[in-house]
């Protein structure tokens, strides 16, 4: 049985633990009149979102992400999308954005915690979306390059971009490029050399293989993966070639 005293002790311990965890989640650094708060939020590269505070006009504060979001996006080549979506997020959050830094000015002390959280979230979310949009853009460009290569090999009337195929599960799969040549239909699908891309590709190829349709399956890897077991896994459900392979390899795969 837990007595009232024991319960209060338990609550006190929990309060102490919770307070300790809260302090551990953030780190504060002071340097020449500036305070830097390292938040628990993470950019895609694993670095913490950092917010800087400066006191202005007595008790008001200037808050900024120091351009670290822009720097993270730049290192991934996502500058264009960071600037585009940074403006949108700044308007939604009621803060400022100058294509480099997120910031807000004249923040009262009682609103400072919310300002820091809002600004850190805007910086992180913008980087997340910028990298996602960049990846989607590159994927679309790679599909067009694959289509152009296949058109140069088989002719435009034999090549269809983004065809739909129904698998054995009745799920409708989108195929990057479909080649219909010499009475044989073959699906060419671009696959990134990472598990997050390989596993869905395998599921797609297996479902199509189990369907009662005659359709060849070719996985076009964008590059050689560091782990060759991914190639082995893909090869169980499709032929595997690489995007840089010569035309003869594509012809043999179709």
């Amino acid at each position: 049985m837990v007595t009232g005293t024991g319960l209060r002790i338990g609550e006190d311990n929990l309060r102490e633990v919770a307070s300790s965890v809260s302090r551990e989640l953030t780190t504060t650094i002071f340097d020449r009149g500036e305070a830097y708060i390292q938040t628990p939020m993470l950019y895609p590269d694993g670095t913490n979102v950092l917010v800087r505070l400066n006191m202005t006009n007595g008790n008001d504060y200037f808050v900024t992400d120091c351009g670290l979001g822009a720097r993270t996006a730049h290192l991934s080549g996502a500058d264009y999308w960071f600037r585009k979506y940074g403006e949108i997020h700044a308007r939604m959050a009621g803060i400022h954005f100058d294509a480099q830094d997120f910031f807000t000015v004249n923040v009262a002390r009682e609103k400072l915690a919310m300002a820091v959280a809002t600004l850190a979230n805007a910086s992180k979310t913008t980087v997340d979306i910028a990298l996602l949009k960049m990846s989607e853009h590159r994927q679309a460009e790679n599909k067009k390059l694959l289509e152009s290569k296949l058109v140069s090999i088989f002719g435009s009337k034999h090549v269809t971009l983004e065809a739909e195929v129904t698998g054995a599960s009745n799920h409708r799969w989108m195929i990057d490029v479909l080649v219909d040549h010499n009475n044989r239909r073959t699906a060419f699908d671009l696959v990134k050399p990472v598990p997050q891309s390989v596993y869905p590709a395998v599921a797609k190829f297996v479902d199509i293989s189990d369907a009662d349709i005659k359709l060849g399956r070719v996985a076009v890897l964008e590059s050689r993966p560091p782990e060759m077991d991914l190639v082995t896994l893909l090869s169980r459900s499709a032929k595997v070639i690489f995007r840089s392979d010569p035309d003869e390899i594509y012809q043999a795969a179709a």
Side-chain angles (χ1 to χ4, degrees), residues 198-226:
V198 170
Y199 296 159
V202 170
K204 177 193 296 188
F205 290 137
V206 168
D207 195 32
I208 292 174
S209 175
D210 290 342
D212 188 21
I213 55 176
K214 293 182 179 180
L215 182 67
R217 301 168 306 282
V218 180
V220 184
L221 277 169
E222 295 184 2
S223 60
R224 294 187 181 277

Side-chain angles (χ1 to χ4, degrees), residues 8-45:
R8 284 195 298 275
I9 293 174
E11 290 177 349
D12 290 341
N13 288 340
L14 179 59
R15 186 176 294 108
E16 181 180 344
V17 168
S19 297
S20 176
V21 170
S22 178
R23 290 191 296 271
E24 292 170 7
L25 284 173
T26 60
T27 302
T28 305
I29 302 171
F30 298 94
D31 182 30
R32 290 175 291 185
E34 298 177 335
Y36 297 85
I37 299 175
Q38 180 178 284
T39 75
M41 297 182 187
L42 298 176
Y43 291 121
D45 63 359

Side-chain angles (χ1 to χ4, degrees), residues 99-169:
Q100 183 74 20
D101 298 6
F102 284 99
F103 63 96
T104 185
V105 298
N106 300 327
V107 181
R109 170 63 186 87
E110 61 270 17
K111 296 182 178 180
L112 195 54
M114 180 60 70
V116 169
T118 300
L119 195 138
N121 183 65
S123 183
K124 169 189 163 44
T125 302
T126 302
V127 173
D128 289 344
I129 293 179
L131 266 62
L132 174 63
K133 294 300 181 180
M134 179 193 68
S135 177
E136 291 175 350
H137 176 75
R138 287 181 176 175
Q139 185 72 1
E141 284 191 329
N142 288 336
K143 285 182 183 180
K144 290 180 180 179
L145 290 173
L146 176 62
E147 179 192 25
S148 297
K149 185 177 184 67
L150 292 172
V151 165
S152 70
I153 297 172
F154 300 103
S156 59
K157 67 178 182 179
H158 299 291
V159 176
T160 303
L161 181 65
E162 293 185 340
E164 187 178 274
V165 176
T166 302
S169 66

